Amino acid sequence: MVAILRGPGRTDIRAAILAALVTSLSACAQTAVRPSLRTAAGHLPRPARILIVDVVTDEARVTEYNGILRQQPGNPKPADRHREIRHVASAAFETGLTDGLGKLGFTIARVARGTTVAEDDILIDGRCLTIDQGNPLRRLVIGFGSGASRFETFVGVYGGPERRKLLEFTTLADSGSLPGAALTLPVGAAVQGGVSAGLVASSAVSSGFAVYRTDVSQMAASSADEAVRYLSEFFANQGWISPHQVRKARIAHHARPSSETGVRR
C-alpha cells in the first residue's frame, strides 16, 4: 500500500528521499582489477607513443533495466538502444584512459583498428564484456548491493608491430553497496507518515531519475581510472615513470598474473 502524506511532513520526507537519491547517484562505483598476464621482461624501452585503439563493444552482453522507474524508451528497437549504451560506455572508457595516461607524461594517440604500430609504440586494446544496468529502484530503496549495475572490460597492452603481450587484465565495476533510502532517511520520517516504496519511486521519477546513461558512463569512467592505476604500477616497474606517480589499483580476489608464457588458470 502506498502511504498518502499531506502537508509539511510529506514535503520533508520527499526532500529526504531526494537527498538519498542524490547520494546514491553520486557514490563512486566499486571498481577493481583482475590481472591475467604480465610480461616477465623488465626495463623495456619507454614507448614513444601509447596508442589507444577503439574499444570493441559489439560482443558486449547488455542487460537493460525494465522496471517501474524506466521511462518510455525513445527508440523502440532493443538493438539500437544497446548500440547507444555500448557507445556511451566505450566513449567514457576511452576518454578516461586518454586523460589518465596523458597525465603520466606519455604521448597518447587514439587510433582505429588496423593502425600500423611502430616498434617503439605500445598499443592498448580494450574489449567491453558486460554492461548490466541492474535495478535502480532496488538500489535506491534497499541498497547493500541489491539490484547492482555491473560493467566489465578486458584490457590488453601490446608492444610493437608483433603485438608482444606485455599486460592483460580485466576491470570489474559495480554500483556499490551503500544502504538504500529506507535506511538512510531520518529516523522520524517513517514515524511521521510511513515511507513506502511507492513514495520513493514517485519521488525518484519526479526528480528525473535518468540512471541509464549516468550509471553506464560513471562505471566506464571508474573502470578507466582503475585501469590507469594498474598501468601506472606496471610503468613504474619498467622505469617509465617515477614511483611518486603511481596510484595503487584495487586487485580483485587476490588474483595473481601469469608470466608472458602462459595465462592464469
Side-chain angles (χ1 to χ4, degrees):
M1 179 180 295
V2 177
I4 300 176
L5 306 178
R6 297 182 176 86
R10 180 181 179 89
T11 301
D12 293 344
I13 295 172
R14 185 178 294 275
I17 292 172
L18 294 181
L21 171 62
V22 171
T23 299
S24 69
L25 284 177
S26 61
C28 292
Q30 294 184 345
T31 313
V33 167
R34 180 179 295 155
S36 55
L37 180 146
R38 180 189 293 259
T39 181
H43 301 289
L44 296 171
R46 179 184 168 95
R49 298 184 302 169
I50 295 179
L51 309 181
I52 300 177
V53 72
D54 297 337
V55 174
V56 173
T57 60
D58 294 345
E59 299 176 0
R61 180 166 55 88
V62 176
T63 304
E64 288 186 274
Y65 167 65
N66 292 301
I68 63 174
L69 291 186
R70 178 180 177 178
Q71 298 174 348
Q72 186 66 25
N75 191 324
K77 298 180 180 180
D80 290 343
R81 295 198 304 272
H82 290 185
R83 188 178 301 111
E84 172 63 17
I85 291 171
R86 292 185 179 104
H87 173 73
V88 169
S90 63
F93 190 79
E94 291 168 8
T95 298
L97 276 182
T98 302
D99 293 346
L101 294 176
K103 292 176 182 177
L104 294 177
F106 292 94
T107 299
I108 311 298
R110 290 170 65 167
V111 299
R113 293 192 169 274
T115 297
T116 301
V117 180
E119 184 63 36
D120 55 355
D121 290 340
I122 65 171
L123 180 77
I124 297 182
D125 191 347
R127 187 175 301 274
C128 188
L129 304 177
T130 300
I131 306 172
D132 186 345
Q133 293 181 330
N135 187 316
L137 180 58
R138 291 182 65 86
R139 292 201 298 277
L140 176 61
V141 178
I142 303 172
F144 297 112
S146 178
S149 51
R150 291 181 293 276
F151 182 80
E152 183 175 351
T153 304
F154 171 82
V155 178
V157 181
Y158 309 103
E162 301 85 8
R163 290 177 63 95
R164 300 182 304 275
K165 291 184 178 182
L166 303 179
L167 195 68
E168 291 182 345
F169 58 93
T170 302
T171 63
L172 310 163
D174 62 48
S175 52
S177 55
L178 292 175
L183 294 181
T184 55
L185 289 173
V187 173
V191 176
Q192 292 175 19
V195 178
S196 68
L199 178 58
V200 173
S202 66
S203 300
V205 172
S206 66
S207 64
F209 191 44
V211 298
Y212 319 113
R213 179 183 296 267
T214 302
D215 266 11
V216 170
S217 60
Q218 285 182 345
M219 288 192 298
S222 178
S223 296
D225 180 71
E226 201 68 30
V228 171
R229 288 173 176 268
Y230 189 59
L231 288 166
S232 75
E233 297 179 43
F234 175 74
F235 295 165
N237 288 336
Q238 293 294 334
W240 297 347
I241 62 175
S242 62
H244 79 269
Q245 293 178 281
V246 173
R247 298 166 62 219
K248 301 291 289 185
R250 176 184 295 176
I251 304 301
H253 306 308
H254 306 288
R256 299 165 70 179
S258 72
S259 69
E260 62 181 336
T261 57
V263 175
R264 179 176 54 82
R265 301 300 181 187

